[in-house]
Amino acid sequence: MKLLTFRPARARTGHFGVLLAGNRILDVTALAGRKLPATLLECIRKGDSALAAVRAAAADAEAALARGEQPPQVFALNAVTLEAPLIPGKIMAVGKNYADHAAEGSGQTYSRVAGFIKVASCVVPHGATVRKPAWTETLDYENELAVVIGRECSDVAAEAAYDCVFGYTIMNDLSCREVQQAERKEGNICIGKNFPTAAPLGPWIVTRDEIPDPHNLRLVTRVNGEVRQNGNTANQIYRIPAQIAWYSHAGFEPGDLISSGTPAGTAIGYKGPGTWYLQHGDRVECEIEGIGVLANTVSTRKRKS
């Protein structure tokens, strides 16, 4: 299933939904009760029984639509506003996890899973405006498969790692390269990866059963329609079980994320005329096979307070 959070017209808060055939959404929040969770995070926390109940409700809605009925809890996708599927407690990001991307920078790769923490306040949804900070001219994109953790766990063995996975989504790990590089010299990465709107996430979460092999997915990034990144998760240096095993030493909660790295084609590696760094008005589309497209537009204008 594809699970999402959306706002119907005139609604003040997000609703939990399931993407149905024909680009329609079942409003699970409107049906929430003893068996159905009210939010996507609640669905993750309650485990298999909640997911089974949501699956059954979606099947009922599909059957009603097939009979020509129009359930009031079903909306057209283009009639609602998507929000981030969830706001994770933490985002553990894997750095330099594709050799071709590492070669775009220093060429160095890591001897184990390594990276940085991306704070949840950076998360924005599909369709949201990305605000380019005034203090950078090197705003870069990174299309990444994000792993959604399904249960509380710690010190997970690699062979048991997939038991901890709820599903997958897309994250654009936006980066201010000159700040990131300066920080790395001091032994940390912080501001260069963490600034307002630095983590577009979505458009939805695909449950684990629909992606049996997360290491055979094509990743494509387009900027203003031009293909920049064209890779495959098969080329990750450290695969998802190793990522979960290492980062689980910090402890995971349901809804936490691991952002699993990006392939070559980022702006830092571009050697041609002009620049590939993001500018005002650029539209970035991060597509991952089996999930969908996460699209955002860049702006240099400050958000009104």
Side-chain angles (χ1 to χ4, degrees):
M1 287 188 295
K2 292 182 172 69
L3 306 179
L4 50 87
T5 301
F6 71 101
R7 252 186 310 114
R10 296 184 293 278
R12 294 186 177 182
T13 59
H15 288 210
F16 170 35
V18 181
L19 187 66
L20 305 176
N23 284 330
R24 288 172 288 193
I25 297 170
L26 173 65
D27 187 346
V28 180
T29 297
L31 300 171
R34 187 173 62 181
K35 292 185 177 180
L36 285 170
T39 69
L40 203 164
L41 185 57
E42 182 184 343
C43 180
I44 297 172
R45 286 173 173 161
K46 288 189 172 180
D48 291 344
S49 61
L51 193 59
V54 171
R55 196 182 303 276
D60 289 345
E62 295 274 22
L65 291 166
R67 292 192 299 267
E69 300 172 16
Q70 294 298 322
Q73 300 86 8
V74 173
F75 298 86
L77 179 60
N78 61 9
V80 305
T81 301
L82 291 185
E83 297 192 347
L86 53 74
I87 302 300
K90 56 182 171 291
I91 304 169
M92 309 299 283
V94 183
K96 299 185 179 182
N97 201 28
Y98 292 74
D100 57 359
H101 173 58
E104 294 180 317
S106 66
Q108 173 198 10
T109 57
Y110 297 125
S111 59
R112 59 162 173 80
V113 175
F116 51 91
I117 296 174
K118 196 112 173 173
V119 298
S121 60
C122 297
V123 169
V124 293
H126 167 81
T129 298
V130 167
R131 287 179 283 138
K132 176 178 174 289
W135 40 263
T136 187
E137 292 303 324
T138 55
L139 179 62
D140 206 350
Y141 47 85
E142 293 192 18
N143 183 353
E144 305 201 359
L145 176 68
V147 181
V148 183
I149 299 298
R151 62 180 178 86
E152 182 179 355
C153 57
S154 61
D155 302 325
V156 177
E159 55 269 24
Y162 284 118
D163 293 339
C164 302
V165 175
F166 177 82
Y168 304 94
T169 187
I170 305 169
M171 192 180 87
N172 186 354
D173 175 25
L174 291 168
S175 310
C176 295
R177 294 300 190 192
E178 82 279 27
V179 177
Q180 175 190 349
Q181 290 170 333
E183 289 182 313
R184 183 175 281 124
K185 292 178 182 179
E186 304 299 325
N188 67 76
I189 302 173
C190 184
I191 304 302
K193 290 284 191 176
N194 291 285
F195 49 90
T197 74
L201 186 72
W204 37 66
I205 293 170
V206 179
T207 52
R208 184 182 67 185
D209 60 291
E210 291 203 3
I211 301 181
D213 183 3
H215 290 290
N216 187 26
L217 303 176
R218 186 182 178 208
L219 298 85
V220 177
T221 305
R222 293 176 291 272
V223 178
N224 303 325
E226 177 188 24
V227 173
R228 299 283 183 85
Q229 292 182 284
N230 188 356
N232 194 292
T233 56
N235 296 320
Q236 289 189 358
I237 298 171
Y238 299 106
R239 296 197 164 200
I240 288 166
Q243 296 168 31
I244 291 173
W246 177 252
Y247 279 141
S248 70
H249 294 315
F252 281 124
E253 299 291 334
D256 284 349
L257 299 182
I258 297 176
S259 196
S260 62
T262 200
T266 59
I268 195 173
Y270 178 63
K271 307 302 182 186
T275 182
W276 273 8
Y277 288 114
L278 297 174
Q279 307 297 320
H280 177 78
D282 284 347
R283 178 176 172 82
V284 185
E285 296 174 306
C286 296
E287 181 173 2
I288 298 182
E289 181 181 0
I291 300 177
V293 178
L294 170 68
N296 300 87
T297 301
V298 179
S299 176
T300 56
R301 298 189 182 98
K302 293 182 178 179
R303 182 171 59 186
K304 293 182 181 180
S305 59

